[in-house]
Structures are given as C-alpha cells and as structure tokens.
Amino acid sequence: MVLVLALVNGLAGWLPVLLIVAVLGIAGLLRVSEADLAWQRIQARRARKLLAAATKRSGPRC
C-alpha cells in the first residue's frame, strides 16, 4: 500500500508535464496531417491540369 502511494505521489508530479507533452504531440500531428492534405490537394490539382492539357493536345479519338 505504501509502495502504491509512493508511486502515485511520484507520478503526480509528472502528470502535468505528461499532459502538456501529449497535447503538444497531438497538435503537432494534426498540423502535419493538415499540411499533408493541403499538399495532396495541390498535387491533385496539378495532375488534373496536366491531364486536361494532354487530352487537348492529343485531339479527339475516333
């Protein structure tokens, strides 16, 4: 019982630090995923433009 209380007391000091690290880590991951989505949108837009340009150059297919 004393060992459990000592462990809880030791962890209680680190709890705010762990919570802050967890929140910052999640926020960082969200920022990275948002940037990744934006990059994917840009790449998709470029691919559509290239495809449209290639289709116009090749002319109609009979």
Side-chain angles (χ1 to χ4, degrees):
M1 182 69 181
V2 174
L3 185 59
V4 172
L5 289 175
L7 184 63
V8 170
N9 190 25
L11 289 177
W14 285 97
L15 190 59
V17 175
L18 293 175
L19 286 175
I20 291 170
V21 168
V23 168
L24 290 177
I26 291 170
L29 287 175
L30 289 176
R31 247 185 249 129
V32 167
S33 65
E34 287 175 7
D36 190 38
L37 286 174
W39 179 248
Q40 287 177 3
R41 280 190 214 109
I42 290 169
Q43 294 289 38
R45 193 175 304 133
R46 286 180 184 166
R48 282 193 302 269
K49 285 181 182 178
L50 288 173
L51 183 62
T55 306
K56 286 179 185 177
R57 271 187 262 130
S58 67
R61 295 184 183 180
C62 298

